């Protein structure tokens, strides 16, 4: 009887696992992005923002080239026309060169925990720019989500203090008055806000680029479910196209970081040489790349095939909450209840973008 009951439990558990397979994958994506942020904070603080991004982007392009060789038969983006390249390169300039540079600078100044919190700004940014440039409809709940997301960020970064600069004649009326103050440095806030905005803008430009990629396939008479000639792995074209698009963005990212490093940074070559020689920093760059652009992106693509996109994106956005505990354990950061509540509010605000 016990054996039968055990088999029944196993069957029920298996069915539930398959039922929520997409949600489980989405949670792994959020965990993967959390690990990426932690390694990125360590690596960027040791290397500096530009060298770290240049090294990580080089590693990412190598893995993407290998992926395309296995799935498309060639180690470069295939079937992409000139308009596809244009929009995806522009997306790489905004999302990678400016966005990732600002994100790593933010990690250096305010840490990955607050850096990831500001990445929730990408959702309202993408919604607004999507409405302006590609005519996407903004749902009523999305507007509420923008306000909730901003409220959560404000709760996390604003604290109260007594007003000590009031006139003595107004002491009685102002002794209980509180003023808000920023708990983070302004330069760190600037880079974090810019990172979130550029992430959202890069997503919109990527969508335009992917739409052009689909048009390019249609003009060539290719079906997205076909397996490309010469592919080693029998993977449908629709699965490998996002990786090809990511590689185009990455090409611009690497070019931009190298240009900035060599032309606008003092001793750029020496910085890069020092970064490559730092084993701990190189390990951080590798794991940041592996759990982010590679495993994270791959699992996110798979997750959206097994659950609704809105559900997947909402679970992906849990990173600002999930990163709190490891920040305390590994970086010994002090986290207040207010900051935890603010992160939860921001994530809830992101979830509202996918309601309705």
């Amino acid at each position: 009887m016990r054996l039968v009951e055990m088999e029944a439990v196993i069957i029920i558990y298996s069915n539930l696992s398959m039922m929520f397979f997409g949600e489980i994958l989405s949670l792994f994506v959020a965990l993967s992005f959390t690990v990426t942020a932690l390694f990125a904070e360590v690596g960027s603080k040791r290397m500096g923002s530009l060298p770290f991004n240049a090294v990580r982007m080089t590693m990412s392009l190598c893995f993407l080239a290998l992926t395309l060789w296995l799935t498309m038969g060639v180690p470069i983006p295939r079937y992409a026309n000139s308009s596809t390249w244009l929009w995806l390169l522009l997306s790489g300039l905004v999302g990678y060169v400016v966005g990732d540079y600002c994100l790593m600078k933010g990690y250096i100044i305010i840490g990955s925990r607050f850096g990831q919190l500001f990445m929730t700004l990408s959702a309202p940014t993408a919604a607004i720019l999507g409405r302006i440039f590609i005519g996407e409809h903004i749902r009523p709940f999305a507007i509420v989500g923008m306000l909730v997301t901003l409220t959560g960020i404000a709760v996390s970064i604003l604290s109260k203090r007594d007003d000590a600069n009031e006139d003595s004649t107004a002491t009685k009326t102002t002794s209980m008055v509180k003023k808000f103050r920023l708990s983070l440095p302004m330069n760190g806030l600037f880079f974090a806000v810019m990172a979130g905005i550029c992430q959202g803008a890069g997503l919109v430009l990527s969508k335009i680029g992917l739409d052009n990629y689909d048009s390019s396939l249609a003009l060539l008479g290719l079906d997205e479910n076909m397996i490309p000639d010469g592919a080693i792995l029998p993977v449908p074209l629709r699965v490998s196209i996002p990786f090809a698009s990511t590689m185009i963005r990455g090409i611009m990212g690497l070019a931009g970081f190298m240009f900035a490093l060599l032309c606008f940074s003092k001793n750029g070559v020496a910085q890069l040489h020092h970064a490559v020689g730092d084993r701990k920093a190189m390990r951080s760059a590798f794991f940041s790349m592996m759990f982010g652009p590679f495993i994270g992106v791959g699992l996110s693509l798979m997750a959206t095939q097994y659950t609704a996109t809105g559900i997947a994106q909402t679970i992906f956005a849990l990173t600002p909450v999930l990163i709190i505990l490891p920040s305390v354990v590994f970086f010994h950061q002090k986290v207040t209840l207010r900051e935890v509540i603010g992160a939860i509010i921001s994530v809830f605000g992101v979830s509202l973008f996918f309601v309705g």
Side-chain angles (χ1 to χ4, degrees), residues 39-316:
F39 277 112
E41 179 177 349
V42 174
S44 58
K45 285 181 176 179
R46 293 182 68 91
M47 288 187 184
S49 180
L50 283 175
F52 180 79
N53 275 305
V55 169
R56 190 173 75 151
M57 197 59 65
T58 301
M59 292 179 177
S60 177
L61 287 176
C62 290
F63 275 84
L64 286 168
L66 175 62
T67 301
L68 295 184
W69 176 62
L70 293 173
T71 60
M72 279 190 163
V74 290
I76 58 175
R78 198 172 179 183
Y79 311 125
N81 57 19
S82 57
S83 61
T84 301
W85 275 86
L86 174 64
W87 285 107
L88 290 175
L89 287 174
L90 186 59
S91 172
L93 177 63
V94 175
Y96 280 155
V97 180
V98 182
D100 276 10
Y101 171 78
C102 289
L103 182 61
M104 298 308 154
K105 287 289 288 186
Y107 284 172
I108 293 171
I109 300 170
I110 63 176
S112 56
R113 180 166 59 88
F114 281 109
Q116 280 299 309
L117 175 65
F118 279 92
M119 291 306 285
T120 57
L121 289 174
S122 64
T125 301
I128 294 171
L129 294 181
R131 177 71 180 90
I132 294 173
F133 292 107
I134 55 181
E136 289 186 336
H137 177 66
I138 298 180
R139 303 182 182 93
F141 270 108
I143 298 175
V144 177
M146 294 180 195
L147 298 176
V148 173
T149 299
L150 293 174
T151 300
I153 292 175
V155 169
S156 293
I157 68 172
L158 294 178
S159 60
K160 290 182 177 181
R161 63 181 177 187
D162 290 323
D163 189 351
N165 298 318
E166 296 293 333
D167 295 335
S168 59
T169 57
T171 301
K172 290 184 179 180
T173 58
T174 61
S175 59
M176 298 302 291
V177 176
K178 303 287 186 177
K179 281 189 175 180
F180 288 106
R181 66 178 176 85
L182 290 172
S183 58
L184 299 174
M186 284 299 297
N187 57 344
L189 290 177
F190 170 78
F191 285 118
V193 170
M194 284 298 297
I197 291 174
C198 288
Q199 175 77 5
L203 287 173
V204 174
L205 293 169
S206 292
K207 180 174 176 56
I208 298 174
L210 283 168
D211 289 342
N212 278 273
Y213 215 143
D214 291 338
S215 299
S216 177
L217 295 178
L219 290 173
L220 294 172
L222 300 174
D223 185 270
E224 64 175 10
N225 293 313
M226 66 170 284
I227 298 174
D229 296 335
I232 298 174
L233 299 177
V235 176
L237 195 56
R238 58 183 167 81
V239 175
S240 54
I241 287 297
F243 289 99
S245 301
T246 302
M247 187 174 191
I248 296 175
R249 297 181 72 218
I251 290 171
M252 172 56 79
L254 179 59
F257 289 133
M258 291 302 296
F259 179 79
L261 187 63
L262 298 177
C263 298
F264 299 109
S265 181
K266 290 183 179 181
N267 302 319
V269 175
Q271 288 185 45
L272 195 58
H273 184 268
H274 175 74
V276 174
D278 188 333
R279 291 186 177 181
K280 185 174 181 179
M282 288 295 289
R283 284 197 300 269
S284 297
F286 174 79
F287 286 114
S288 175
M289 177 278 303
M290 181 61 68
F291 283 99
F294 202 67
I295 294 177
V297 170
L299 289 180
S300 67
L301 294 173
M302 189 180 299
T304 55
Q305 293 179 331
Y306 289 94
T307 188
T309 303
I311 294 174
Q313 291 295 333
T314 301
I315 297 175
F316 297 165

